[in-house]
Amino acid sequence: MKINIYAILKPTADNFDQIIKEFIKMSSKYAKVEVHYIFNKNIAKAQTIGEKESQLAYSQTYEPLLKGYNIALDVLGKRVDTYAFSSLLDNKNEVNFFIGGAYGFQREFLNKCDSVISLSDLTMAHKVANVVLTEQIFRSLCIQNNHPYHK
């Protein structure tokens, strides 16, 4: 299984990245997990203009990456528990998670995804959301493979 996490974010090397890398490493016996931080000139320019332009730039960046099973993380997405989250990964060859930029997603992009979920009712920094997401991916893979981590 291949799991991609795409985030509209400038890459950094900080303590969050160390935690994310640790969860990716722990997941590696079950799946190949990769995080892709994307922040290009088009997004940077759009974010200086406004919400609609930014959302359009996010969609234009992400739409070519829609393949396999696609899950968008959105504040208005479905709230799922860990077992429901785990079932989203069940029997999939490739799963792509999309984290929007500061202005969220266009409805049109969300409609192109197979699932739209929310990690929490709380607003989180992108790096915190990435930590939560990579931990839940590892936890889900453990559930599917009867590993005791979840207990």
Side-chain angles (χ1 to χ4, degrees):
M1 173 187 275
K2 172 106 164 83
I3 300 172
N4 293 299
I5 301 168
Y6 296 101
I8 303 293
L9 185 67
K10 292 178 185 176
T12 60
D14 55 23
N15 292 335
F16 291 107
D17 284 320
Q18 291 175 7
I19 297 167
I20 291 165
K21 286 177 183 173
E22 186 62 28
F23 282 119
I24 289 171
K25 181 180 175 185
M26 292 188 299
S27 298
S28 67
K29 67 170 100 173
Y30 306 117
K32 182 176 183 179
V33 180
E34 292 182 352
V35 178
H36 308 273
Y37 297 128
I38 301 171
F39 197 86
N40 56 38
K41 290 178 185 176
N42 187 31
I43 291 169
K45 181 179 178 184
Q47 288 189 157
T48 65
I49 299 171
E51 181 176 349
K52 287 183 181 183
E53 293 80 6
S54 297
Q55 289 178 340
L56 178 61
Y58 308 153
S59 293
Q60 290 171 340
T61 300
Y62 280 160
E63 284 177 3
L65 303 171
L66 290 169
K67 58 187 187 291
Y69 191 81
N70 301 293
I71 303 170
L73 302 182
D74 189 77
V75 68
L76 300 176
K78 181 180 178 185
R79 276 81 177 151
V80 294
D81 66 16
T82 298
Y83 287 100
F85 183 93
S86 179
S87 71
L88 292 172
L89 305 181
D90 217 11
N91 298 315
K92 309 281 189 316
N93 289 326
E94 184 171 0
V95 178
N96 300 300
F97 288 93
F98 295 95
I99 301 173
Y103 294 102
F105 289 110
Q106 290 180 311
R107 287 286 126 211
E108 295 83 2
F109 179 80
L110 294 175
N111 291 337
K112 292 178 182 179
C113 290
D114 300 294
S115 293
V116 180
I117 64 169
S118 174
L119 292 179
S120 172
D121 287 335
L122 300 171
T123 301
M124 297 181 208
H126 279 75
K127 289 287 186 142
V128 174
N130 272 314
V131 169
V132 172
L133 180 58
T134 53
E135 191 279 338
Q136 285 299 299
I137 289 169
F138 175 63
R139 185 175 294 273
S140 296
L141 293 169
C142 287
I143 290 169
Q144 292 175 356
N145 290 281
N146 297 315
H147 185 282
Y149 176 82
H150 180 64
K151 295 181 172 116

